[in-house]
Amino acid sequence: RAAHYAALARTLRKAFIANYWDSGQGYFTQGSISSENAMAIAFDLVPGSDLDPGDPRHLSGTGTLAENKKALAQLLADRITAADGHIQNDMYGSRYEFNILSEYGYTDIALKAVTQTGVPGYVHQIAKGATSLWEQWTDRLSVNHHYRSNVATWFYQSLAGIRPTSTAYETLRIRPYVPSVAVNSQVPKSVDDTDLSPATLDHVSASIDTVRGVVSSEWRRGSDGRIDLAVTVPYNTEAEIWVPTQGKSVSAPRGAAFVRDDTSGGAPYKVYRARAGSYRFNA
């Protein structure tokens, strides 16, 4: 049975690329463009000329897998920018798009879309009195639709940076993406309230109660621009802690072992390894 479904997955990957990939434009062009391309990245459906010819995603005459993924992430960001900073995904792709934007260096664009006034967007629903997530951006057809709550996942997985790297958080990674753009910072009183005091996001705090205990990540941006990052790692867990540096020095606590310099989303990090305990970095 496992072999049957593995073969079916290969067939579906190949068929999806054959039917929906536009080699001339370099992305998937049918359906909801933002969602289709976000889900292609999330589910390993992106083709590449550098893949083994036996791989169902192998496609000659196109870019490499990494080049194509990067181009699709840029497409997602460009579509938001072209729409004056408004969200462009639908209910399916939105589950993945915000995290993808951060991973490829577009956290500022994602944060602007989340805080943008007008339709479509979360701020518009709040301005119309929403205290839950509506089925549609402009209407109350159903006033309790969870699929837009993916933004909360992005808050703790990308802005705070908490992600499991193995089952049940036996290992985890804390890699916060720190935005720099000024965005709307106040709750609107009505749809006509568009002066929402733009400011940078200077404080993020998130925690998750896992089967091994509480994982937490909190960062603050000081007046000097440096980031204070506080992390809690639960028992029986090993964590990789990615400290954003902007190319500057890092003050690290005892018990956190330096591993390497690395980058994510185009930003430099110093990576540390730590086990159970609380740690504070200044970077």
Side-chain angles (χ1 to χ4, degrees):
R1 184 169 293 274
H4 167 76
Y5 284 110
L8 180 59
R10 290 174 58 85
T11 300
L12 291 173
R13 274 192 169 94
K14 190 167 186 176
F16 182 79
I17 291 168
N19 283 278
Y20 299 112
W21 180 261
D22 188 316
S23 295
Q25 299 195 63
Y27 57 88
F28 296 100
T29 56
Q30 299 186 47
S32 171
I33 299 300
S34 289
S35 283
E36 187 174 19
N37 287 280
M39 293 175 74
I41 295 173
F43 291 111
D44 288 330
L45 293 166
V46 181
S49 59
D50 60 329
L51 296 170
D52 187 278
D55 191 308
R57 299 167 298 161
H58 172 78
L59 188 64
S60 59
T62 186
T64 67
L65 178 63
E67 289 170 344
N68 286 339
K69 283 186 175 181
K70 184 177 180 180
L72 296 193
Q74 183 176 341
L75 171 69
L76 302 178
D78 288 347
R79 286 176 58 81
I80 292 173
T81 300
D84 193 29
H86 286 104
I87 295 167
Q88 295 299 294
N89 57 46
D90 66 16
M91 61 182 288
Y92 299 109
S94 64
R95 167 66 180 81
Y96 310 98
E97 184 170 2
F98 291 121
N99 277 340
I100 289 170
L101 288 169
S102 283
E103 288 163 10
Y104 282 87
Y106 301 109
T107 296
D108 280 1
I109 288 176
L111 182 60
K112 186 171 182 180
V114 170
T115 57
Q116 183 68 295
T117 58
V119 181
Y122 296 97
V123 175
H124 180 76
Q125 285 196 352
I126 293 170
K128 294 193 74 173
T131 57
S132 60
L133 293 162
W134 296 348
E135 181 177 359
Q136 296 184 358
W137 289 119
T138 58
D139 208 334
R140 297 175 183 248
L141 292 182
S142 167
V143 295
N144 189 18
H145 263 61
H146 76 278
Y147 57 74
R148 293 293 181 190
S149 66
N150 61 84
V151 68
T153 304
W154 176 68
F155 284 168
Y156 75 81
Q157 288 190 343
S158 288
L159 291 180
I162 303 172
R163 293 216 199 181
T165 52
S166 63
T167 304
Y169 284 85
E170 182 177 5
T171 61
L172 63 90
R173 180 182 66 228
I174 294 179
R175 182 175 63 196
Y177 294 104
V178 179
S180 59
V181 66
V183 296
N184 292 318
S185 67
Q186 293 184 346
V187 177
K189 296 182 177 63
S190 72
V191 293
D192 298 320
D193 187 6
T194 57
D195 184 12
L196 302 178
S197 302
T200 55
L201 180 64
D202 293 333
H203 177 215
V204 166
S205 179
S207 64
I208 304 172
D209 191 5
T210 78
V211 295
R212 298 170 186 275
V214 175
V215 179
S216 68
S217 171
E218 179 177 13
W219 60 261
R220 292 180 184 272
R221 191 192 331 254
S223 58
D224 59 357
R226 290 181 65 83
I227 298 296
D228 185 74
L229 173 64
V231 171
T232 299
V233 180
Y235 290 107
N236 301 314
T237 301
E238 184 172 87
E240 260 198 3
I241 303 169
W242 291 52
V243 183
T245 68
Q246 298 185 51
K248 303 297 176 60
S249 62
V250 171
S251 174
R254 292 181 61 184
F258 175 73
V259 178
R260 67 185 182 277
D261 290 300
D262 213 326
T263 61
S264 183
Y269 291 81
K270 286 191 178 295
V271 182
Y272 296 82
R273 185 169 288 121
R275 299 197 68 85
S278 296
Y279 304 90
R280 185 175 295 276
F281 302 83
N282 186 267

